Amino acid sequence: MRMEELIAYVEAYAASVNRKPQWVLREAIGAGWKEWESWRAGESSPTMIRVDRLKAYIAANPPREDAA
């Protein structure tokens, strides 16, 4: 998964659960609050282990079907 795809994936999930991407990262991988902006700015990127943990969290916590 390219970084642009990861950013879009996290943004889409965050929107679907009515949260900010920073919140998703914090819950999924214990990321600091500024890590998301660092990823978006291209200043840093996650390890594959963190990407795998993030994807596993999203898979285990799908949006509720009754969420509007």
Side-chain angles (χ1 to χ4, degrees):
M1 178 178 283
R2 293 183 332 209
M3 194 62 184
E4 298 83 14
E5 295 169 329
L6 179 62
I7 297 288
Y9 178 67
V10 173
E11 286 176 337
Y13 174 75
S16 74
V17 294
N18 200 30
R19 298 289 185 172
K20 292 184 178 191
Q22 295 91 328
W23 182 91
V24 174
L25 292 186
R26 187 134 180 115
E27 289 293 307
I29 61 175
W33 288 111
K34 294 184 180 183
E35 191 163 351
W36 175 250
E37 288 306 319
S38 179
W39 289 8
R40 290 194 73 224
E43 297 168 356
S44 70
S45 58
T47 64
M48 290 307 300
I49 291 171
R50 293 185 99 199
V51 171
D52 289 344
R53 283 178 47 205
L54 178 60
K55 290 166 69 177
Y57 174 87
I58 290 172
N61 296 282
R64 292 185 358 202
E65 290 191 27
D66 63 341

